[in-house]
Amino acid sequence: MKILSSWLRSYVPGIAVSDRVLADDLTLRGIAVEGVFDLGEFGSLFEMDITTNRVDAMNHYGIAREAATVYGVQLQPLDASLPEPKEGPGYPVHIEANDGCGRFTARILRDVHITSSAGIVAERFRLLEQKPIFNAVDATNYVLIGMGQPTHAFDLDKLQGGIIVRRARKGEKLRTLDGIERTLDPDDLVVADEKRPVGLAGVMGGWDTMITPETRNVLIEAAWFEPTTVRRSSKRHLIHTDASHRFERGADFNAPPIANALVSRIILEAGGSAVGDLVDVIVPEAQARTANRSRISFSLSEVLRILGPTEDKHGITAPIAESILTGLGCQLTFSSDNWSVALPSWRLDLEREIDLIEEIARVYGYNRFRNTLPTFSGSVVELPWAEKESTLRRTLLALGFNEAISSTFCSAPDADLFVREPKTAVALGNPLSAEAGMLRPSLLPGMLEMLTLNLSRDVEGAALFEMGTVFSGSPDNGYARVDERPSLAIGASGHAFSATDPDFYDLKGAVEQITGKFTARSFYYDRFPAASGLVPAWLHPGRSARAVVDGATIGWFGELHPAEAERRKLRQTIWLGEIWLDRLYKQSLRQPAIAELSRYQPVRRDFSLVVPDTVTYSRIAAALDELAIPELRSYAPKEVLRDAKGKLVPAGHFSLLLRTVFQSHERTMREEEVQAWSQQIVAALAAAGAKLRA
C-alpha cells in the first residue's frame, strides 16, 4: 500500500521529525514501512505492509492516528461539513437482510457536473500513480485511500424505486462494473432497487447504474456489511476489490456518515447541490457487537506485571498508559484502581484486557523494555502420559513408520465419516474455508490426506503415524464445551516396508506392538459382518478388525473402504487405523523384567497337527497357556499346510507344525519329564480340537 507523507502530515501537522524517522518509528510500532521514496517538494512516498488484522491502518487517516499517538500530538478531525441541503425527501432505504448489512447511508446530489478531477485530488492521485476516471468515481477512491471506508456512487436516474439491501434470489443476474454478467447465489447479499440488483454488496457495483459523463443526479452510498457475507461472495465470484478487502476484515461501523459527506463534498466542488437529509439506517444488533461493544476493565498493575521493567526508570505510568489508549481511540473512565474502557469502533481486533496491554507495549516501543526473562516459580511438570507417548513414538519409529503432523481442521464430510460417536463433531464459528470448517474428531482425515499426497507425488510407499488431539462436543448443550482427547493414527500404502505392498497383518503387527507395551489383563481382536452396522463406514468390512483391551474398544484398523477410495480417486490400497489413546493410557506401561539366562540345554519338540478350519490359533494358544508348565518357555507355529484337493490334508482342515521349547533354570531335564509334558500338550490340543497327524 502506498502512503504520501504530505497527506499523512496534513492530518497531524504537529509532527516535527523527518519522513525517514517517521517511517522508522512507525515500523517499530508494527505499522511497517518497507520503503521510503523521495518525491522532492511533495515529501515522500511510503511503501507500506499492513497486517490483515489492522484494517483501520489501511489508509492515510488510520496511519496518521498511529503517528499522533506515538508522538503525542493532536490528530486533526475529518471535516465532514456540507453546504446546507435543499429541501426534499431523502432516498428510501430498507435493510431486509439484517444479518448481512448493519448500516446503510444514502445522500441525493442533484445537478452535478461529471468532469475530470482537479486540485488536490488530481495531484495526490498523480503522486500515488492512481488512475483518475472522473470526479464522482475519483471521489469514492480518494475517500477510501484517505480514511479507509468504501463508498459507491449510483446514477440516481437509473435507479427504479428505493434501495433494498437483501439476499439475491435464485437465478438472478447482475452485470458488475467489470462488464461480466454473473449469476447470483441465494447467499449473496445485494444492493437492489425495486426491480433488480444494482450491486454486489461490499464487493462491486453494477454496470447498469454506473456513473457516466451524462450523469446529472447521483446517489452516494456508504454502508457497513458483515465480513463473512462479503468474504463468501468475493470467493464465490472470484472478485477481490479494495472494498471487499476492507469489508472482509471488519470496517468501522461509525465511518459511513463521514465517508458519505466527504465523497459528496468532493463531487459538489464541481457544481450541484445536496437534496434532503442524509438517510442513515442502522441495525441495532450489528451496532451492539461493533461500535457499542461492552466496556472492558483495565488495570495498570496488570500492565506492569506482564510487560516488566523498562529502560526508563519511571517505566509505564498511568498518564502514559492513558495517553496511548486515548490516542488510539479508547474512551477511559477511572474508578478505584481500574479503568473502564470503551473500545473504538474501528478496532474490532481489541476484545480483552491483554489486547490493550499489547497496544501499550507496541506504541510505547518494544525496544524500550529491558532484556529480562519473566519471573517464574516452580518447575516444569511433565504430562501424566508423557512417558507412554514417548514409548509409543519409539516403538513406531522402530517399526519403520515416520511421524507426521496434519491440520487440526477437516471438512464436514470427513468429520461425519470418521467421527467416533455420531453428532459429536464440532463446527468452527469462523472457518478459514469450507474444507477446514470442523475441528477434527479423528486423526484419520489428516492421515488419509497425507498418504494421498505422498502417493500423488510418485512416492513408492509411505508408512506414517501421527499422535495428536481430537475434539468432540455434545449437541445437548449446543457444543458449548469442547472435549480434547489424545489419539494415534497409523497408515501405510505402496512399498512402505519392503518390495511388496503392506497387508492387513503388517498393520495388525504394529497394533500388537503398541498394545504389548501396556499391562492389560486381556487383549483380543474381533470383526463383525458388514450387515451388522458395527463396522465404521470408512473400513472394508472383510479386511478390518476391532482392537479390544480389557473389554474396552481402543480402536479400529484395516483397509480403506473401496467406495471411499474410489471417491478419493485412489488406485493404491490404503491401510490405516486409529487407536484411542485416552482409553489405552488407562493401562500402565509394562516394565521390562530381567531374567537370568539358563545354563542348561533347551529341548525342542515339534507337534504335527491336523486342525479343523473352525479352530483358531488363539484357541490353541489358550489351551497351552492353561497347562501352566514352568519349563515350557515358548511355542510357535512353524508351518501351515492346506490342500484344496484334500489329498495331503482332509477337506475342511489344515496341517500345523507347532514347535515347543522346554528349558529349566535349575537342572538338566530328563527324557521322561519332557515326555510327560508332551503328553499333556497332546491331550490339551485334542481337547481344543487339534489332533496329532497320523
Side-chain angles (χ1 to χ4, degrees):
M1 186 179 70
K2 296 177 181 179
I3 295 293
L4 292 175
S5 65
S6 57
W7 194 348
L8 195 67
R9 289 176 182 274
S10 68
Y11 296 131
V12 277
I15 296 179
V17 300
S18 67
D19 287 349
R20 182 68 65 173
V21 173
L22 173 60
D24 291 342
D25 288 342
L26 287 173
T27 302
L28 284 173
R29 272 73 181 184
I31 309 298
V33 182
E34 299 290 334
V36 180
F37 304 95
D38 185 19
L39 299 178
E41 61 178 312
F42 300 105
S44 302
L45 177 70
F46 292 168
E47 191 71 42
M48 311 289 293
D49 183 16
I50 307 299
T51 55
T52 56
N53 67 312
R54 291 301 307 274
V55 64
D56 65 293
M58 295 179 183
N59 56 83
H60 284 76
Y61 196 74
I63 297 174
R65 184 188 296 113
E66 291 285 325
T69 306
V70 170
Y71 296 113
V73 299
Q74 187 67 35
L75 175 68
Q76 298 295 320
L78 293 169
D79 184 6
S81 60
L82 283 174
E84 189 68 24
K86 291 183 178 181
E87 290 290 334
Y91 202 78
V93 173
H94 174 62
I95 300 178
E96 183 180 293
N98 290 347
D99 59 336
C101 178
R103 188 170 195 172
F104 198 98
T105 67
R107 175 178 276 113
I108 296 174
L109 306 181
R110 293 194 180 277
D111 301 323
V112 300
H113 298 285
I114 303 301
T115 183
S116 300
S117 295
I120 195 168
V121 175
E123 181 63 29
R124 287 174 174 172
F125 270 34
R126 182 183 66 82
L127 295 174
L128 290 171
E129 298 179 345
Q130 180 83 18
K131 180 182 178 181
I133 303 174
F134 31 75
N135 59 344
V137 178
D138 294 345
T140 61
N141 293 331
Y142 183 83
V143 170
L144 177 65
I145 299 170
M147 67 166 291
Q149 172 63 36
T151 57
H152 186 67
F154 295 98
D155 188 323
L156 182 61
D157 297 325
K158 296 177 182 178
L159 292 174
Q160 304 177 47
I163 290 292
I164 304 172
V165 186
R166 58 172 174 81
R167 296 289 177 180
R169 300 185 179 97
K170 187 175 182 179
E172 272 191 320
K173 296 184 182 299
L174 170 67
R175 190 181 183 191
T176 48
L177 286 174
D178 54 7
I180 299 175
E181 185 176 71
R182 304 178 187 276
T183 301
L184 302 177
D185 186 274
D187 191 45
D188 288 329
L189 186 71
V190 296
V191 178
D193 58 20
E194 294 181 0
K195 300 293 184 181
R196 69 209 190 283
V198 295
L200 191 57
V203 181
M204 186 178 286
W207 180 277
D208 295 337
T209 56
M210 69 178 178
I211 303 296
T212 66
E214 290 74 33
T215 299
R216 291 295 172 264
N217 301 306
V218 175
L219 181 71
I220 304 300
E221 166 221 314
W224 185 92
F225 299 111
E226 182 68 34
T228 54
T229 301
V230 176
R231 185 181 304 117
R232 286 170 182 160
S233 291
S234 177
K235 298 289 186 184
R236 185 180 299 112
H237 297 286
L238 303 178
I239 311 175
H240 184 79
T241 61
D242 290 336
S244 68
H245 187 80
R246 286 156 176 80
F247 279 127
E248 287 176 17
R249 288 155 180 79
D252 180 3
F253 190 89
N254 289 338
I258 301 173
N260 197 308
L262 294 175
V263 172
S264 299
R265 195 168 75 170
I266 294 173
I267 296 175
L268 293 176
E269 288 175 357
S273 60
V275 176
D277 294 329
L278 175 73
V279 175
D280 187 3
V281 181
I282 295 176
V283 177
E285 294 81 7
Q287 187 178 37
R289 65 176 183 269
T290 54
N292 294 345
R293 287 172 290 165
S294 300
R295 301 173 76 97
I296 60 177
S297 180
F298 167 76
S299 66
L300 182 63
S301 60
E302 193 70 2
V303 174
L304 301 178
R305 184 187 73 82
I306 291 178
L307 298 183
T310 65
E311 297 290 349
D312 183 355
K313 63 179 182 179
H314 299 294
I316 298 176
T317 61
I320 290 176
E322 190 168 350
S323 174
I324 291 174
L325 293 180
T326 302
L328 293 175
C330 298
Q331 298 177 12
L332 281 69
T333 303
F334 189 75
S335 175
S336 299
D337 295 330
N338 294 337
W339 281 286
S340 175
V341 182
L343 301 172
S345 59
W346 54 84
R347 289 296 302 273
L348 298 182
D349 58 317
L350 301 181
E351 298 177 342
R352 303 168 296 167
E353 181 184 24
I354 191 65
D355 297 329
L356 300 179
I357 295 174
E358 182 183 0
E359 288 298 289
I360 291 174
R362 181 180 65 83
V363 176
Y364 183 79
Y366 293 117
N367 57 319
R368 299 174 64 184
F369 290 92
R370 293 183 190 173
N371 293 326
T372 57
L373 293 172
T375 57
F376 176 72
S377 61
S379 60
V380 177
V381 178
E382 195 175 57
L383 292 173
W385 57 80
E387 185 182 359
K388 299 175 182 178
E389 183 179 282
S390 179
T391 300
L392 294 183
R393 180 175 284 108
R394 289 196 307 269
T395 301
L396 288 164
L397 290 173
L399 290 173
F401 288 86
N402 293 300
E403 186 169 10
I405 300 175
S406 64
S407 172
T408 310
F409 312 117
C410 68
S411 65
D414 278 350
D416 292 338
L417 178 65
F418 293 103
V419 68
R420 187 190 301 188
E421 299 169 4
K423 298 181 180 180
T424 58
V426 180
L428 295 173
N430 187 22
L432 297 174
S433 65
E435 291 74 26
M438 308 288 291
L439 285 173
R440 63 183 182 190
S442 164
L443 297 179
L444 292 175
M447 175 58 63
L448 192 54
E449 185 175 341
M450 290 186 293
L451 289 173
T452 302
L453 183 63
N454 275 274
L455 296 174
S456 66
R457 298 297 188 275
D458 294 329
V459 176
E460 290 187 358
L464 306 175
F465 77 93
E466 179 181 9
M467 285 189 285
T469 303
V470 296
F471 307 88
S472 62
S474 173
D476 297 335
N477 61 6
Y479 302 97
R481 175 183 172 184
V482 177
D483 295 322
E484 301 182 17
R485 295 181 286 193
S487 190
L488 164 68
I490 55 176
S493 185
H495 299 164
F497 305 109
S498 63
T500 59
D501 290 345
D503 58 19
F504 173 83
Y505 297 101
D506 289 313
L507 215 60
K508 178 185 174 186
V511 175
E512 285 180 340
Q513 289 290 325
I514 291 169
T515 55
K517 300 298 180 181
F518 294 85
T519 57
R521 295 187 301 273
S522 67
F523 171 65
Y524 65 88
Y525 305 103
D526 58 12
R527 59 183 183 177
F528 304 95
S532 67
L534 299 175
V535 182
W538 51 273
L539 275 176
H540 190 305
R543 300 178 183 177
S544 59
R546 179 180 68 150
V548 182
V549 170
D550 287 350
T553 302
I554 63 162
W556 290 82
F557 62 94
E559 181 185 336
L560 180 67
H561 198 288
E564 186 63 23
E566 183 178 356
R567 187 178 72 83
R568 296 173 184 268
K569 300 180 180 179
L570 293 170
R571 291 176 294 178
Q572 299 91 336
T573 301
I574 302 289
W575 299 93
L576 72 167
E578 184 167 26
I579 302 299
W580 303 334
L581 296 181
D582 57 313
R583 295 185 178 180
L584 184 61
Y585 284 165
K586 293 178 181 179
Q587 307 291 332
S588 301
L589 278 176
R590 189 183 301 278
Q591 299 302 320
I594 301 174
E596 183 182 359
L597 295 176
S598 176
R599 293 175 293 173
Y600 301 99
Q601 184 74 14
V603 177
R604 296 178 178 84
R605 286 288 185 270
D606 290 347
F607 298 87
S608 183
L609 307 170
V610 176
V611 187
D613 289 339
T614 56
V615 176
T616 62
Y617 180 75
S618 60
R619 184 174 171 184
I620 294 175
L624 295 177
D625 291 338
E626 289 175 0
L627 293 175
I629 301 173
E631 288 78 6
L632 179 58
R633 296 300 176 188
S634 66
Y635 56 85
K638 287 300 178 183
E639 183 180 292
V640 176
L641 174 64
R642 297 180 186 275
D643 185 5
K645 297 181 179 180
K647 293 182 178 180
L648 301 176
V649 183
H653 293 70
F654 63 92
S655 174
L656 172 66
L657 179 63
L658 184 71
R659 175 164 295 174
T660 60
V661 178
F662 299 93
Q663 190 176 33
S664 173
H665 282 275
E666 291 83 22
R667 54 188 170 74
T668 301
M669 293 176 295
R670 298 189 302 275
E671 176 63 28
E672 55 268 24
E673 290 179 312
V674 177
Q675 187 64 28
W677 295 329
S678 298
Q679 291 175 359
Q680 293 180 42
I681 291 174
V682 171
L685 294 175
K691 297 181 180 180
L692 281 179
R693 190 170 183 178

